[in-house]
Amino acid sequence: MKEISRRSFLKGTAATGAALGLSGSFYNFLFSGLEPAQASDETGIQKFQNACPRNCYDTCSILSTVENGILTKVEGNPQNTFTRGRLCAKGYTYTRRVYSPDRIKYPMRQNGRGSGNWERISWDEAYTLIAKNILKIKKEYGSTLPICLNKYSGNFDIMHYGIEGMLSSFGNTSRATGTPCWPAGIDSQTFDMGTIVNNDPEDLVNSKYLILWGVNPAWTSVHSMYFVQEAQRRGCKIVAIDPVLTQTASKADLYLQIKPSTDGALALGMARYILDHNLIDAKWLMNNALGYNEFFDYLKNNITTDWAAEKTGLPKNVIETLAREYATAKPANIWIGYGMQRHANGGQNVRAIDALAAITGNIGKSGGGAQYAHLETWGFNYHAMVQNKPAGSAGSGDRAININNFGAEVLAAKEPPIKMLWIACRNPMSQDPETSVVKKAFEAMDFVVTADQFFNPSVAMSDIVLPVTTIFETWGVNVSYWHYWLCLNQQAIKPMYESKNDIQIAMELSKKMNELEPGSCTFPTSGDLKDWVGKEFNTGIYNQFGISDWKELEKGPVKTKAGHVAWQDGKFRTSSGKYEIWSEEAKKFGHLPLPVYREELKPANEYPYRCISPHWKLNIHSQFQNLDWMQAINNAPFIEIHPETAQKMGIQEKDNVKMYNDLGYIVLPAKITETVAQDIVVVYEAWYKDKNFNVNYTVKALPADMGKKATGMPGMAFHDNFVNIAKV
Amino acid sequence: MGEYPLILFTVLSQLSAGAAITLSLLDYFTKIDNSAGKKSTLVVLVMIALSLGISLLHLGHPFNAYRALTNIGSSWLSREAILFFLLGILLLVYYFQWKEENSFRKSLGLIISVVSVLAVVSSGMVYVLPAVPAWNNFSPILFFLFTGAALGPMFILLMLKLTNGAFSRLVQFTAVILAASLMCFIVYVSVLLSGSGASASTGSQIVGSGIFWPRLLVNWILPLGIFAWLTFKRISPDRKVVCSLFVMVFIGELLGRYLFYYASVALKVAGL
Amino acid sequence: MGFLVDAERCIGCHACEMACKNEYQSEPNVRWRKVYPINETEYSLPERNHLSLACNHCEKPECLRVCPVRAYTKREDGIVIHDQGRCIGCKMCAMACPYEVPQYNVRLKKMEKCNLCDGRLDQGLKTACEAACPVEALSVIDFNGFTKYGFVIALPGFPDPSITKPTTRFIKPRIGAQVRRDQ
Ligand code: SF4
Ligand code: SF4
Ligand code: SF4
Ligand code: SF4
């Protein structure tokens, strides 16, 4: 592929552009119809509001600069007091993403899935092929259930729920259901408090004691790290509990290297100590909680700090000091990460930690709480998502396919089988467990359509790829599952090449389907994308954010007016309205009603090491690490091994190491570091362009204990992956 | 292309400087046939011009190379460029002075010798950089001078028809220079190896390199062995022998210069 | 003027480096600012600490000394400016700078480096890297020749400052307590 230098691009005259072999429409960067956030001055520079839609705590407000129709830089919008006018390393690569020479430019058809033999087709040809396939399936199977959608978090912009809407508008379909990220923890907090709500992260500065439990904001929420450090400067003690000495743990006052998946044991041990030393907040419990006496009985009968020490690998005195410090500092805060719930006992562990916050009366306090996430600001109309099914659609509703065991469930689906996949905002071939099974599922299909921006491994296994716009080329609106800001996403430049927004695709496909078979698709066939954004708003949102019209967002992002301390009103959303340490609801879902310890999974002889595959700092899953600016910093995955383990296995720095189990193997250079423990290896999950690396070749589709209630499917125990290593 | 232009430029320019000195001193102290002298001057001049031309290939923008003359205040690269340029001009003047007895030419020859030495010294100074500990000493100057002294006289020997006495004295001189440069090289590498940090790694890069032994062999061991054998057998070397010695040492110097550029470890921000 | 790099705050996130690229839309392999990990064995306990470095705007800039075309100048306020217009791409500065700062742009066949966002500073703006650092670990300080209390002139891995007298100052990382299973 021809290398397009960004600079020559910016300075691009028609001549340079032509030399680079770009299509003519590309120069047509006129501004007809685009509305800038700030009036353009005579220099031709315009600024637009954008919002980073990635699956990221921070959901940054972006100000983008456009000069003569070209996006020349992005900055953080200082109006947002959480992101404070800053982006992250990934955010600052956005110009490079928009103008990447690797972008998918036109609809293409692959002659032979996985062959790389792509040919350019027109949008009309693409729609015709897709529509004919859908109609054929419907005819052959009597319903559209053989069509399965796998869409999730590659783009969390509200408008992108229109993809689900598009599938609904053909009829009943199969849907990848659940979430790989955080379901076990959501269920835990749902059992305990009725739902997930976290304090405004800007409130972290009010904590006197902060436990960062299995969370690495220094890599996954850089803007929160400012508030963590600010709390630290104001005298708050920062404790990091993590099996890996993360970047966050490196900045903590105290780091506890816990045995993986034993977090519940630590929390329960601490609770026992707090109970024994009468450090509980009895008044808070009396007023707000149910089942605490049963919990205390459980602690007295089953839990000791000696047991907790044995389980967690942390000395008893450390656990006791931690418990005392946590229980006596007021307010004390715990931030529960998603990593620690990606275990077979992850949900129970989160419940045990929640209980710790409850018995010390930290819930509902500024500077206190058990922070996980929230969905408080997500009350949109989901106008694009909610579509009527065509009259007389066969089937009794959509069919759920577990997103966390996607490959196997697609292959196993019967009556009707799954024959067609639509992939959007997702890359299952690189991010799902059991890659080889996922590949088999793709191979078994009659037809696979993927909408994406880059030729990633899922695109490689598709028949048709549709080029989609970046956030700068379309309209949208975003909120966060962590902070309390709302941000409009304005179209700043014309779509590059032939890329289109997912809703545009849905509208045009609907038109084609109705041409071929009138009434076969209910999705609107025309509409203005900006109007679609407006249709997402309602008075609830307006009141929550103190605005009277969504167009006010063109002036900048806004924050909720109230509700910045979770559960401050003491009105829990459980059926009893109380904090339920004893949860009948949990019982209904097959769990014990109390936050008890559920045994962690341990390595077997053959596979003595636990492979943890956390996030990497230069990507979000399979996004960003493929861009050349990132590649210049790092372009090689590696495996982190403790020096003693390395010595035992005869492995030296940079030696190639094979990491394997009965599922598969990968070969990576060794990075020898004491940031991991002797019984753990770390491989950061990522998609590297043109590299056959994927840690998920070794990851089994093992469910976490919870997730079914809130998200429809249990979570994924990504970090219960046992492997062996050998020098190659 | 890497540093190849620099390897060629430095070795060729030092060879030319050595040759210019040899020629002008021979002219000053002995009698040289006019046409042979003229021809030799021309060859040296062409070699200097050629080496300067090659050095331009190292630049991103060769056509703006003239600007490189503008920082003689502090840049040894500017000084080096000026001096070689000056040497070229002097040789051009020298070239037109090859007619009968000419005391101007002889004095000019002395100036040429001085400028040649200064030019080679400034070439060496370019590399005396604190950022490259292995270079940050007298060694670049010393080894550059050795290159000129080893190759220059042999080159002139091959260009001119000299009396037996002058011929064998120059051959002896070359042998002495080679022996001295070998000794200095051994000392240099040992000092590097016994050092720490970047110096030590430069030392081990040099010794560990695949061309370390070939270089030792063609640059020193073979030529010095041949000298020793000739001396032992009391055979006086003829032009053929000198010619092959010259080729060996020339190749050896090119290999040595390759090592000079590729084995030198600069200071680095650690951790990468 | 020079950079103050607070290694205690720095989380090695590369936002500064990428913000610099974003501001100047530089070539992929031309890195005016680079974030280097400090070897974990340098401190009493292993930790992830970093050095975020760009040009050090040295008091005795080697780049300026060796450049044959006088592409480098040092402003009154101490900023060492590289004028790409004059540069002929001889790479002398890259060899001479102990901090690998001047970067060769293979497309332009010229060097380039951090000019301390001179244009932004002159407009009263912060440098792009300082403005981007999420934890405010980077700042530009008015350097007046004295090492202020609490600042150090080098951290492990930073080449010998006596050569060029960099104006960059550092705040040392604090090493937190650790309870580890491998002890
Ligand atoms: S990835 Fe997260 S931190 Fe980075 S720009 Fe997007 S929202 Fe902000
Ligand atoms: S942006 Fe700040 S915290 Fe991140 S690497 Fe740079 S200096 Fe360090
Ligand atoms: S860091 Fe290097 S490039 Fe910058 S002023 Fe110092 S010597 Fe020059
Ligand atoms: S001061 Fe400006 S040019 Fe220098 S590293 Fe920072 S952003 Fe880049």
Side-chain angles (χ1 to χ4, degrees):
Chain A
M1 199 150 307
K2 219 165 197 132
E3 189 171 326
I4 302 182
S5 126
R6 176 75 180 109
R7 230 182 233 175
S8 67
F9 194 89
L10 293 181
K11 293 176 184 155
T13 60
T16 25
L20 292 165
L22 303 170
S23 66
S25 64
F26 180 78
Y27 300 104
N28 201 7
F29 285 119
L30 299 172
F31 274 91
S32 51
L34 303 188
E35 291 159 53
Q38 284 162 28
S40 72
D41 52 22
E42 52 285 8
T43 58
I45 296 178
Q46 294 166 301
K47 299 252 183 190
F48 293 87
Q49 304 280 347
N50 288 98
C52 184
R54 309 273 87 93
N55 185 348
C56 167
Y57 284 99
D58 293 12
T59 310
C60 292
S61 301
I62 300 175
L63 266 183
S64 44
T65 304
V66 172
E67 289 177 47
N68 303 316
I70 293 168
L71 179 73
T72 53
K73 75 172 168 188
V74 290
E75 285 165 292
N77 188 333
Q79 286 165 285
N80 182 323
T81 53
F82 172 71
T83 55
R84 303 172 62 252
R86 294 139 212 263
L87 305 175
C88 72
K90 294 153 282 196
Y92 285 115
T93 64
Y94 268 129
T95 53
R96 201 58 192 161
R97 179 164 169 154
V98 172
Y99 299 113
S100 169
D102 298 338
R103 261 186 84 172
I104 298 170
K105 301 181 176 69
Y106 342 94
M108 293 184 113
R109 172 170 53 195
Q110 187 171 216
N111 298 312
R113 234 168 275 156
S115 68
N117 187 5
W118 289 98
E119 88 184 277
R120 178 178 176 177
I121 54 176
S122 69
W123 272 104
D124 191 63
E125 283 172 279
Y127 290 135
T128 308
L129 275 166
I130 296 168
K132 281 190 172 155
N133 264 285
I134 294 170
L135 296 173
K136 190 177 118 210
I137 284 172
K138 193 162 91 174
K139 203 159 162 208
E140 198 174 327
Y141 294 92
S143 80
T144 46
L145 279 169
I147 304 168
C148 182
L149 172 67
N150 191 337
K151 178 255 171 183
Y152 188 47
S153 69
N155 187 330
F156 261 153
D157 168 77
I158 302 300
M159 296 260 282
H160 280 74
Y161 290 94
I163 300 165
E164 281 94 332
M166 173 182 73
L167 273 271
S168 295
S169 61
F170 320 147
N172 291 309
T173 54
S174 302
R175 301 289 178 91
T177 305
T179 138
C181 310
W182 53 344
I186 299 185
D187 265 16
S188 311
Q189 295 215 321
T190 306
F191 295 138
D192 292 334
M193 296 174 264
T195 187
I196 45 169
V197 188
N198 61 277
N199 287 9
D200 177 5
E202 297 169 50
D203 173 70
L204 281 167
V205 297
N206 298 318
S207 301
K208 290 284 175 287
Y209 202 84
L210 173 59
I211 301 180
L212 299 170
W213 206 319
V215 67
N216 184 14
W219 280 11
T220 58
S221 179
V222 291
H223 301 87
S224 296
M225 220 35 207
Y226 173 80
F227 297 98
V228 169
Q229 292 191 350
E230 185 57 27
Q232 197 176 22
R233 286 190 286 273
R234 295 185 192 179
C236 172
K237 180 164 177 176
I238 311 288
V239 180
I241 300 174
D242 206 300
V244 179
L245 178 74
T246 60
Q247 180 62 65
T248 304
S250 299
K251 298 292 153 187
D253 298 299
L254 173 65
Y255 163 62
L256 304 180
Q257 189 189 46
I258 192 170
K259 273 191 211 157
S261 193
T262 66
D263 309 86
L266 176 59
L268 294 170
M270 288 167 72
R272 171 72 202 255
Y273 179 90
I274 288 167
L275 175 65
D276 286 353
H277 293 79
N278 201 22
L279 298 171
I280 55 171
D281 187 336
K283 202 170 138 222
W284 189 89
L285 287 171
M286 209 144 48
N287 293 334
N288 296 287
L290 280 188
Y292 51 92
N293 284 324
E294 291 84 342
F295 180 55
F296 291 154
D297 287 343
Y298 167 74
L299 291 177
K300 284 190 202 132
N301 296 332
N302 297 281
I303 303 294
T304 62
T305 45
D306 283 310
W307 168 82
E310 157 95 40
K311 273 275 154 209
T312 58
L314 300 171
K316 180 178 160 182
N317 68 322
V318 169
I319 297 175
E320 291 178 350
T321 314
L322 179 68
R324 170 164 292 276
E325 286 182 358
Y326 171 73
T328 51
K330 300 280 174 199
N333 202 342
I334 303 177
W335 179 353
I336 302 165
Y338 307 141
M340 60 146 295
Q341 50 94 55
R342 289 181 191 144
H343 290 289
N345 62 354
Q348 283 298 355
N349 287 346
V350 173
R351 285 204 71 200
I353 296 170
D354 285 348
L356 207 51
I359 63 171
T360 51
N362 275 306
I363 305 258
K365 306 246 156 67
S366 165
Q371 321 302 338
Y372 189 70
H374 79 80
L375 297 167
E376 297 297 281
T377 52
W378 293 68
F380 293 93
N381 291 342
Y382 297 95
H383 168 264
M385 179 169 98
V386 181
Q387 299 293 338
N388 294 324
K389 300 193 170 160
S393 289
S396 56
D398 291 332
R399 167 168 63 179
I401 297 294
N402 184 356
I403 200 170
N404 290 325
N405 194 10
F406 182 68
E409 293 210 0
V410 164
L411 286 167
K414 295 265 149 41
E415 288 161 43
I418 292 176
K419 287 289 161 195
M420 169 178 167
L421 296 180
W422 187 294
I423 314 284
C425 306
R426 256 208 121 218
N427 183 1
M429 277 295 298
S430 94
Q431 297 310 124
D432 278 10
E434 302 192 7
T435 313
S436 43
V437 180
V438 178
K439 186 158 185 232
K440 282 200 191 101
F442 272 77
E443 281 163 351
M445 292 300 108
D446 287 349
F447 196 56
V448 181
V449 180
T450 299
D452 213 311
Q453 284 159 358
F454 294 98
F455 285 95
N456 61 39
S458 299
V459 174
M461 288 304 293
S462 307
D463 298 298
I464 301 278
V465 65
L466 304 176
V468 289
T469 44
T470 64
I471 55 170
F472 306 97
E473 300 156 299
T474 190
W475 286 88
V477 57
N478 291 75
V479 285
S480 156
Y481 49 75
W482 181 239
H483 65 64
Y484 285 86
W485 286 85
L486 165 65
C487 190
L488 184 67
N489 185 70
Q490 294 178 302
Q491 183 177 359
I493 55 172
K494 292 214 153 178
M496 291 291 291
Y497 317 106
E498 293 184 10
S499 62
K500 290 185 198 284
N501 175 295
D502 283 305
I503 289 193
Q504 193 75 40
I505 294 173
M507 290 192 290
E508 291 169 9
L509 178 61
S510 179
K511 194 157 165 223
K512 178 62 73 181
M513 286 181 65
N514 281 301
E515 258 170 51
L516 294 174
E517 184 186 311
S520 61
C521 183
T522 62
F523 207 87
T525 52
S526 65
D528 181 70
L529 289 175
K530 193 178 168 188
D531 296 340
W532 277 89
V533 173
K535 289 179 189 152
E536 291 295 354
F537 288 83
N538 52 44
T539 47
I541 296 231
Y542 287 161
N543 292 340
Q544 194 180 16
F545 288 93
I547 51 174
S548 50
D549 190 278
W550 66 274
K551 292 213 173 79
E552 289 172 39
L553 296 172
E554 294 182 345
K555 295 201 286 285
V558 293
K559 188 179 175 179
T560 50
K561 292 290 157 213
H564 299 153
V565 176
W567 311 116
Q568 200 170 27
D569 56 5
K571 290 188 188 129
F572 292 96
R573 291 182 218 161
T574 52
S575 56
S576 64
K578 301 271 187 205
Y579 184 107
E580 297 186 352
I581 301 186
W582 178 285
S583 166
E584 284 298 329
E585 191 66 16
K587 229 162 117 183
K588 279 189 211 150
F589 280 84
H591 312 296
L592 288 168
L594 286 175
V596 297
Y597 191 65
R598 181 181 160 136
E599 279 299 308
E600 78 280 9
L601 295 186
K602 295 180 196 69
N605 289 343
E606 248 174 308
Y607 304 115
Y609 302 102
R610 183 190 289 265
C611 169
I612 296 188
S613 49
H615 291 234
W616 166 237
K617 61 176 165 178
L618 300 180
N619 70 4
I620 292 179
H621 303 306
S622 60
Q623 302 193 66
F624 296 106
Q625 177 61 71
N626 61 311
L627 301 176
D628 50 12
W629 282 6
M630 289 300 187
Q631 290 174 330
I633 297 175
N634 163 70
N635 196 20
F638 49 86
I639 176 169
E640 292 183 341
I641 304 175
H642 189 277
E644 274 174 31
T645 308
Q647 202 187 17
K648 200 170 88 194
M649 308 297 290
I651 294 167
Q652 293 188 343
E653 183 80 15
K654 297 207 169 80
D655 278 355
N656 272 332
V657 172
K658 177 173 170 175
M659 181 183 101
Y660 63 97
N661 57 20
D662 46 3
L663 210 63
Y665 71 92
I666 47 176
V667 177
L668 293 168
K671 182 176 174 216
I672 295 175
T673 168
E674 287 185 67
T675 54
V676 296
Q678 292 102 320
D679 50 356
I680 291 176
V681 292
V682 170
V683 177
Y684 299 106
E685 53 100 349
W687 169 56
Y688 288 85
K689 182 187 155 199
D690 299 335
K691 288 206 158 65
N692 184 24
F693 158 75
N694 186 350
V695 69
N696 291 315
Y697 278 119
T698 65
V699 178
K700 290 195 189 65
L702 192 75
D705 52 347
M706 295 185 189
K708 188 128 182 81
K709 175 176 165 60
T711 71
M713 288 291 169
M716 210 349 259
F718 279 102
H719 302 322
D720 286 337
N721 180 21
F722 298 104
V723 299
N724 205 344
I725 54 172
K727 185 177 159 171
V728 291
Chain B
M1 198 147 45
E3 308 289 12
Y4 291 108
L6 288 183
I7 296 172
L8 273 177
F9 160 69
T10 53
V11 173
L12 268 186
S13 66
Q14 285 146 25
L15 157 62
S16 317
I21 297 171
T22 314
L23 181 65
S24 48
L25 291 186
L26 279 174
D27 181 34
Y28 193 86
F29 292 110
T30 66
K31 168 103 187 72
I32 293 181
D33 171 57
N34 264 346
S35 69
K38 190 165 185 175
K39 199 178 80 194
S40 308
T41 311
L42 184 64
V43 171
V44 174
L45 181 58
V46 167
M47 282 203 314
I48 295 225
L50 186 70
S51 64
L52 280 173
I54 291 173
S55 78
L56 296 186
L57 296 180
H58 164 73
L59 300 179
H61 292 259
F63 295 115
N64 293 328
Y66 65 90
R67 274 193 224 138
L69 310 176
T70 56
N71 194 13
I72 42 169
S74 74
S75 168
W76 282 101
L77 189 61
S78 283
R79 294 170 189 164
E80 177 196 32
I82 293 242
L83 285 166
F84 274 108
F85 198 67
L86 180 66
L87 181 57
I89 292 172
L90 292 177
L91 282 169
L92 188 66
V93 178
Y94 195 63
Y95 172 77
F96 289 109
Q97 304 304 318
W98 283 102
K99 39 197 170 216
E100 61 257 18
E101 240 354 66
N102 184 336
S103 61
F104 172 69
R105 187 184 74 223
K106 296 200 171 188
S107 326
L108 187 60
L110 289 185
I111 297 173
I112 284 178
S113 301
V114 173
V115 172
S116 299
V117 172
L118 289 179
V120 174
V121 167
S122 64
S123 262
M125 281 304 289
V126 167
Y127 299 96
V128 180
L129 299 170
V132 189
W135 290 347
N136 194 28
N137 46 49
F138 195 64
S139 66
I141 302 167
L142 188 70
F143 290 117
F144 284 11
L145 286 171
F146 276 137
T147 304
L151 290 172
M154 280 201 281
F155 187 75
I156 293 300
L157 274 189
L158 296 169
M159 293 297 304
L160 302 175
K161 286 195 181 61
L162 292 177
T163 59
N164 281 345
F167 189 95
S168 56
R169 251 173 286 142
L170 276 182
V171 171
Q172 279 161 16
F173 174 80
T174 306
V176 170
I177 288 290
L178 280 182
S181 80
L182 174 61
M183 258 149 54
C184 290
F185 183 70
I186 292 170
V187 171
Y188 175 67
V189 172
S190 327
V191 169
L192 286 183
L193 284 174
S194 64
S196 62
S199 308
S201 32
T202 307
S204 44
Q205 293 256 35
I206 293 178
V207 178
S209 151
I211 56 174
F212 175 70
W213 287 105
R215 193 252 166 135
L216 275 189
L217 199 69
V218 290
N219 206 341
W220 289 302
I221 298 173
L222 274 181
L224 286 172
I226 293 171
F227 279 128
W229 187 75
L230 290 176
T231 319
F232 179 71
K233 291 274 172 185
R234 293 178 185 279
I235 304 174
S236 50
D238 60 3
R239 293 172 70 87
K240 264 193 210 139
V241 173
V242 174
C243 189
S244 30
L245 285 175
F246 176 81
V247 170
M248 280 182 221
V249 176
F250 186 71
I251 293 173
E253 289 295 341
L254 287 177
L255 294 180
R257 204 50 53 83
Y258 178 89
L259 274 179
F260 176 83
Y261 285 111
Y262 285 93
S264 302
V265 178
L267 292 183
K268 253 188 186 321
V269 184
L272 265 199
Chain C
M1 287 217 267
F3 292 107
L4 174 62
V5 180
D6 186 340
E8 167 54 19
R9 289 187 178 212
C10 175
I11 51 175
C13 70
H14 294 269
C16 47
E17 172 169 353
M18 218 44 102
C20 177
K21 273 203 146 77
N22 168 59
E23 182 75 19
Y24 298 100
Q25 296 292 322
S26 41
E27 297 286 315
N29 291 310
V30 172
R31 299 168 65 189
W32 293 0
R33 177 167 286 284
K34 290 187 206 167
V35 180
Y36 298 88
I38 299 179
N39 198 329
E40 70 186 41
T41 56
E42 293 285 358
Y43 290 106
S44 55
L45 289 168
E47 266 197 1
R48 301 183 196 231
N49 288 306
H50 297 83
L51 292 172
S52 170
L53 298 176
C55 175
N56 295 302
H57 302 280
C58 304
E59 281 180 67
K60 277 171 44 190
E62 274 284 283
C63 52
L64 185 148
R65 179 181 71 86
V66 301
C67 175
V69 301
R70 293 209 233 184
Y72 288 87
T73 46
K74 191 161 172 71
R75 294 200 334 188
E76 284 279 295
D77 56 9
I79 302 178
V80 175
I81 300 275
H82 174 253
D83 173 3
Q84 210 173 36
R86 285 194 68 80
C87 179
I88 56 168
C90 75
K91 304 182 197 155
M92 253 335 277
C93 50
M95 263 200 262
C97 168
Y99 304 95
E100 303 163 87
V101 164
Q103 305 268 304
Y104 193 64
N105 179 328
V106 283
R107 204 173 54 79
L108 298 178
K109 297 188 162 55
K110 291 184 176 202
M111 284 290 163
E112 48 189 70
K113 75 164 190 82
C114 154
N115 282 348
L116 220 143
C117 283
D118 54 335
R120 286 178 63 105
L121 287 186
D122 293 347
Q123 287 173 51
L125 296 171
K126 284 183 175 163
T127 65
C129 50
E130 174 177 1
C133 175
V135 293
E136 301 184 3
L138 264 187
S139 47
V140 174
I141 50 168
D142 203 349
F143 177 76
N144 47 21
F146 294 99
T147 295
K148 287 185 196 132
Y149 178 76
F151 300 176
V152 293
I153 57 169
L155 285 181
F158 190 67
D160 184 1
S162 72
I163 300 172
T164 58
K165 295 202 181 306
T167 59
T168 306
R169 294 292 175 271
F170 301 92
I171 294 176
K172 281 191 219 164
R174 276 189 304 118
I175 305 302
Q178 298 185 5
V179 176
R180 305 173 59 91
R181 293 190 286 126
D182 58 359
Q183 284 156 351

